[in-house]
């Protein structure tokens, strides 16, 4: 069961204006060190997945720049969004392309605008998450909160499951997006909430089942695209 990394690189970074603009979105900028955010994203996963198993989804105007920034990736591994429609359509577009290529694949859904300090530990977490996903779980990576920040999403931990590679895994009880200060303080104090990293790991077949269950209209459009690949 092959394992792929999907890097979503379509954000415009409006909150970073004037540095980030339509022609120079945040993922193409050197915000940390001398590598762009997109290059950091590729560098993090390249040793684990290899160039053949890294896919990138981005709008057409960004693709040429991103290809230049990551020459180790084949142009065929860049999937062009005809129009930005949000996260779910972006993931779905990649999922149907990946199912066409490798129906039994697992995929780690990552972004091009995060900076991760402990890269080795992050790779270990992806290995652990990939093991869980191979058993049929839909996995998300939680981050231990360091403060009651209101600008992040939170995940409540439920039943303990297991500890692949030494990482404790729990069922997710609920997701809370950007709580108020009082709620955030209560969540952090409880010790049972994590920040939502926005990274997900699953088998392609499982995420397609979720599209069928929760977003059937989107799935219908995705299947049209898949039939034209």
């Amino acid at each position: 069961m092959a394992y792929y990394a999907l890097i979503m690189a379509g954000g415009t970074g409006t909150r970073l204006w004037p540095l980030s603009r339509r022609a120079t979105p945040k993922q193409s900028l050197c915000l940390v060190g001398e590598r762009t955010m997109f290059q950091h994203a590729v560098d993090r996963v390249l040793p684990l997945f290899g160039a053949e198993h890294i896919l990138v989804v981005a709008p057409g105007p960004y693709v040429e720049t991103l290809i230049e920034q990551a020459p180790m990736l084949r142009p065929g591994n860049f999937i062009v969004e005809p129009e930005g429609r949000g996260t779910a359509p972006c993931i779905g577009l990649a999922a149907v392309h990946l199912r066409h290529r490798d129906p039994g694949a697992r995929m780690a859904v990552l972004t091009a605008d995060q900076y991760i300090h402990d890269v080795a530990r992050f790779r270990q977490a992806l290995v652990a998450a990939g093991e869980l996903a191979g058993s049929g779980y839909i996995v998300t990576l939680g981050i231990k909160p360091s403060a009651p920040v209101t600008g992040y999403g939170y995940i409540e931990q439920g039943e303990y499951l297991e500890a692949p590679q030494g990482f404790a895994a729990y069922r997710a009880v609920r997701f809370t997006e950007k709580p108020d200060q009082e709620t955030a303080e209560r969540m952090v104090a409880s010790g049972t909430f994590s920040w939502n990293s926005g990274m997900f790991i699953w088998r392609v077949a499982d995420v397609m089942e979720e599209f069928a269950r929760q977003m059937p209209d989107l799935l219908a459009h995705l299947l049209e695209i898949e039939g034209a690949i």
Side-chain angles (χ1 to χ4, degrees), residues 132 137-139 158-164 167-172:
L132 277 175
Y137 288 103
I138 289 176
V139 185
E159 173 194 356
Y160 172 81
L161 296 172
E162 54 186 285
F167 289 85
Y170 303 86
R171 291 193 182 276

Side-chain angles (χ1 to χ4, degrees), residues 2-33:
Y3 196 10
Y4 292 77
L6 166 66
I7 299 174
M8 298 184 293
T12 56
T14 53
R15 285 176 292 183
L16 293 177
W17 186 90
L19 283 177
S20 183
R21 300 171 180 266
R22 287 188 179 182
T24 54
K26 59 184 174 180
Q27 59 270 23
S28 67
L29 299 176
C30 295
L31 301 178
V32 182

Side-chain angles (χ1 to χ4, degrees), residues 51-181:
E52 285 297 310
H53 284 185
I54 297 174
L55 306 179
V56 180
V57 178
Y62 300 171
V63 170
E64 184 177 349
T65 297
L66 298 178
I67 288 176
E68 291 174 355
Q69 291 187 5
M72 74 290 290
L73 304 183
R74 293 191 303 111
N77 279 23
F78 287 79
I79 300 168
V80 180
E81 286 185 287
E83 185 174 343
R85 290 293 187 180
T87 303
C90 173
I91 292 171
L93 180 64
V96 295
H97 274 272
L98 186 50
R99 184 164 73 167
H100 182 77
R101 176 186 299 200
D102 187 347
R106 295 166 295 162
M107 62 190 294
V109 178
L110 312 171
T111 68
D113 61 357
Q114 292 175 319
Y115 179 72
I116 297 172
H117 177 70
D118 192 341
V119 174
R121 185 71 170 161
F122 173 65
R123 292 189 192 120
Q124 291 171 352
L126 287 179
V127 171
E131 290 181 8
L132 277 175
S135 300
Y137 288 103
I138 289 176
V139 185
T140 184
L141 301 184
I143 301 169
K144 184 177 180 179
S146 59
V149 179
T150 59
Y152 297 156
Y154 288 74
I155 310 168
E156 183 176 358
Q157 300 169 2
E159 173 194 356
Y160 172 81
L161 296 172
E162 54 186 285
Q165 304 289 324
F167 289 85
Y170 303 86
R171 291 193 182 276
V173 176
R174 66 175 58 85
F175 294 81
T176 302
E177 185 64 17
K178 299 179 181 177
D180 59 36
Q181 186 65 40

Side-chain angles (χ1 to χ4, degrees), residues 1 25 44 68 143 219:
M1 187 185 299
R44 280 195 295 268
E68 291 174 355
I143 301 169
L219 177 65

